Amino acid sequence: MPVDTHHKQTLAIDFCGLPFASPLVLLSGCVGFGEEYTRVAGFSNRQVGAVCLKGTTGDARLGNAPHRVYETPDGMLNAIGLQNPGVDHVVDDILPRLDFDETRFIANVSGSTLEEYIRVTQRFDDSPVDAIEINISCPNVKEGGVAFGNDPDMSARVVEACRKVTQKPLITKLSPNQTDIAGNARRCIEAGTNGLSAINTLMGMAIDTERRRTVIGNNQGGLSGPAVKPVALLRVHQVYQVARPHGIPIIGQGGVASADDAIQFLLAGATAVGVGTGLFYDPLLCGKINQGINDYLQRHGMSHVSELTGALELN
């Protein structure tokens, strides 16, 4: 069911100059290229403000060896390895199948080198996607495998390079696996990002004690789900302190499974809220979150969801 007329009046937001019908964003890697969940009865992309497409690289990638996914208490480890058909296939064959009247579609750009980020961003610039999200958590193969997003200088270089080859809104996805996420966010803002998303997954491991081996084929993977929410809330609040003076909006994400979770991210400073792992056990979650946010606004005498952003009062 789409966002109804009344909800549109209270839930519609502006994000990087783009009108979103709802503050909810379907996260990259959780909904394929925007088509998978439309096969579920009762689900509609019109329920959300935007869909972040699966991470895309310059050339096709097969991804990591199995196991790729492992359920943990209150969460999930994944190490998919950026399996994707490559940017040319996405632009030429997948994007034409999407209904851009349903919602906003945001490309997710990944790369192993600065040159690959530039190439993929440039290709998406000449496409109908509404915005581009840069996944800077990828390892830089030219710098010993250090993740771009864990080094503020490398983060800024990626953002600056991508900014030069696209006029579309740029959203930089920040890693929690770093010492100073606020400082990194500041560098990305200075380099030209229009928006930020926080957080990407926390790195973790699962061990099979009987086999005395790691469960994930890649040995380590990204932890998502409710277990990461307290970390994510703190990181969003920290990023908000440096983003607010510049008017840079944030997609807050990490363990959202209810309307109350989403409201917490808004209060911490997010303008929009990402939903990902929660969809795996409840594909119809977004409609429930929209309704829950609207009910909260009515109970508290608020007329619009934007009144919640950054409204947190510290002790």
Side-chain angles (χ1 to χ4, degrees):
M1 177 182 298
V3 178
D4 64 34
T5 303
H6 176 66
H7 286 186
K8 280 184 179 179
Q9 295 173 352
T10 58
L11 299 184
I13 64 167
D14 176 280
F15 194 92
C16 294
L18 299 172
F20 283 12
S22 158
L24 302 186
V25 176
L26 302 186
L27 296 179
S28 178
C30 298
V31 290
F33 285 99
E35 299 175 299
E36 293 182 2
Y37 277 78
T38 59
R39 306 181 188 116
V40 177
F43 178 91
S44 171
N45 282 333
R46 297 182 187 275
Q47 295 174 331
V48 299
V51 174
C52 287
L53 305 181
K54 184 168 174 52
T56 304
T57 52
D59 298 315
R61 293 193 187 186
L62 293 176
N64 292 327
H67 292 298
R68 295 178 171 189
V69 177
Y70 179 75
E71 186 175 1
T72 67
D74 271 344
M76 182 184 79
L77 279 174
N78 91 85
I80 306 301
L82 291 173
Q83 177 181 339
N84 76 97
V87 67
D88 289 335
H89 180 83
V90 173
V91 172
D92 294 336
D93 298 314
I94 295 178
L95 294 187
R97 300 201 302 263
L98 299 180
D99 184 354
F100 281 81
D101 291 329
E102 284 186 328
T103 189
R104 300 292 183 176
F105 288 99
I106 301 172
N108 180 281
V109 172
S110 300
S112 299
T113 64
L114 185 61
E115 292 76 17
E116 186 173 16
Y117 276 103
I118 294 170
R119 173 189 165 195
V120 179
T121 299
Q122 200 163 22
R123 189 72 172 87
F124 275 125
D125 184 62
D126 186 25
S127 82
V129 297
D130 296 288
I132 297 172
E133 180 180 60
I134 314 170
N135 175 12
I136 56 174
S137 296
C138 303
N140 183 347
V141 297
K142 292 187 177 180
E143 298 287 346
V146 176
F148 286 95
N150 290 352
D151 182 295
D153 289 334
M154 284 197 287
S155 298
R157 289 208 304 269
V158 173
V159 174
E160 184 176 23
C162 293
R163 177 74 286 162
K164 290 178 179 178
V165 296
T166 183
Q167 297 300 311
K168 295 182 185 290
L170 275 183
I171 304 163
T172 305
K173 191 168 190 175
L174 299 173
S175 167
N177 305 301
Q178 57 180 305
T179 304
D180 183 8
I181 193 171
N184 199 328
R186 183 180 295 108
R187 293 295 304 278
C188 291
I189 292 169
E190 292 169 351
T193 196
N194 303 107
L196 297 163
S197 57
I199 58 172
N200 208 331
T201 54
L202 289 159
M203 295 309 298
M205 176 184 285
I207 297 174
D208 182 332
T209 54
E210 292 300 317
R211 297 171 58 241
R212 297 190 294 277
R213 296 181 67 91
T214 51
V215 175
I216 296 290
N218 191 54
N219 296 318
Q220 62 182 13
L223 178 66
S224 62
V228 309
K229 193 184 78 172
V231 176
L233 287 171
L234 176 60
R235 294 291 186 261
V236 167
H237 186 63
Q238 291 169 333
V239 170
Y240 179 63
Q241 305 312 307
V242 300
R244 177 178 54 181
H246 300 277
I248 300 295
I250 301 167
I251 304 173
Q253 56 199 261
V256 173
S258 68
D260 192 70
D261 292 336
I263 291 166
Q264 289 178 44
F265 275 98
L266 294 168
L267 293 172
T271 296
V273 179
V275 182
T277 303
L279 294 170
F280 295 158
Y281 60 84
D282 186 358
L284 305 183
L285 180 60
C286 291
K288 299 171 186 176
I289 293 177
N290 282 334
Q291 182 63 56
I293 294 175
N294 193 66
D295 291 345
Y296 180 92
L297 295 175
Q298 290 183 337
R299 287 200 313 273
H300 290 269
M302 296 178 171
S303 60
H304 195 267
V305 67
S306 61
E307 296 176 55
L308 295 174
T309 296
L312 178 67
E313 296 182 9
L314 299 178
N315 295 325

